[in-house]
Amino acid sequence: VITLRCMVQFIGRETKYSGTLSAFATIYREEGLLGFFAGLIPRLLGDVLSLWLCNMLAYLINTYALENGVRAPRGGCEGLGRGLGVSTMAEMKSYSQAVTGFFASMLTYPFVLVSNLMAVNNCGLAGGCLPYAPTYCSWLDCWSQLHKEGNMSRGNSLFFRKVPPGKRYVWD
């Protein structure tokens, strides 16, 4: 929460949170103990889902695609007749874990987005209030609003940006 709010200060050129200790004091004074846990529920849901997807996909790939799918070639030298070596198989399994982690993070990105938006929602900074961001009652309200606007994947790509039709992000 503190890290996100310190980054969001840049939008309005504000200095509300000047350091870690002052940020703790400001959040506690303005929002109480729950202010430190803004956006926690969607973050936890996304992390648990991502971990589950990553491990499930890696298990399926390692069990069915790599171990059963790789067969030893017939004939030839005795040393070559064993198929992939142990080190190559271990390397393939580590790659499968990385690839499944990438896909799991892509699928659970909306949870991260909602969590980040809720962490700065109506916190008194320009980037967390209108016109830059609407005020949400709960993370479910934020989720449904983003889904309705077609913004569930906004910000997930560095190169391919899109703005939904009729939406403006610049205040004149």
Side-chain angles (χ1 to χ4, degrees):
V1 171
I2 292 172
T3 303
L4 286 169
R5 290 184 182 184
C6 286
M7 286 186 270
V8 167
Q9 285 185 131
F10 182 75
I11 294 171
R13 294 183 177 89
E14 299 159 291
T15 56
K16 184 176 181 178
Y17 305 106
S18 58
T20 306
L21 293 177
S22 71
F24 272 105
T26 303
I27 291 172
Y28 185 75
R29 184 178 59 250
E30 292 179 357
E31 302 173 52
L33 196 57
L34 292 178
F36 296 107
F37 300 101
L40 180 66
I41 294 173
R43 176 70 65 159
L44 286 176
L45 288 173
D47 286 349
V48 166
L49 186 62
S50 178
L51 187 63
W52 179 76
L53 276 171
C54 181
N55 287 330
M56 183 189 68
L57 290 173
Y59 173 78
L60 291 173
I61 289 171
N62 291 339
T63 303
Y64 297 108
L66 293 180
E67 289 179 7
N68 292 339
V70 177
R71 298 280 182 227
R74 302 238 181 238
C77 299
E78 186 65 33
L80 295 175
R82 291 192 175 95
L84 291 177
V86 175
S87 65
T88 307
M89 186 62 74
E91 195 174 317
M92 294 292 286
K93 287 183 179 184
S94 69
Y95 290 146
S96 71
Q97 188 75 28
V99 169
T100 58
F102 175 73
F103 283 121
S105 68
M106 280 178 41
L107 293 174
T108 58
Y109 179 77
F111 289 100
V112 174
L113 175 63
V114 170
S115 174
N116 290 344
L117 288 173
M118 291 307 295
V120 298
N121 181 48
N122 202 21
C123 65
L125 296 172
C129 300
L130 287 170
Y132 296 106
T135 303
Y136 302 108
C137 300
S138 71
W139 73 271
L140 294 171
D141 180 38
C142 179
W143 183 283
S144 65
Q145 182 71 26
L146 289 172
H147 184 67
K148 186 174 16 173
E149 293 174 351
N151 272 336
M152 292 302 284
S153 62
R154 78 175 203 198
N156 73 340
S157 175
L158 185 61
F159 300 109
F160 304 106
R161 300 288 186 170
K162 68 174 187 145
V163 176
K167 184 73 173 175
R168 291 181 46 179
Y169 291 108
V170 179
W171 184 258
D172 292 329

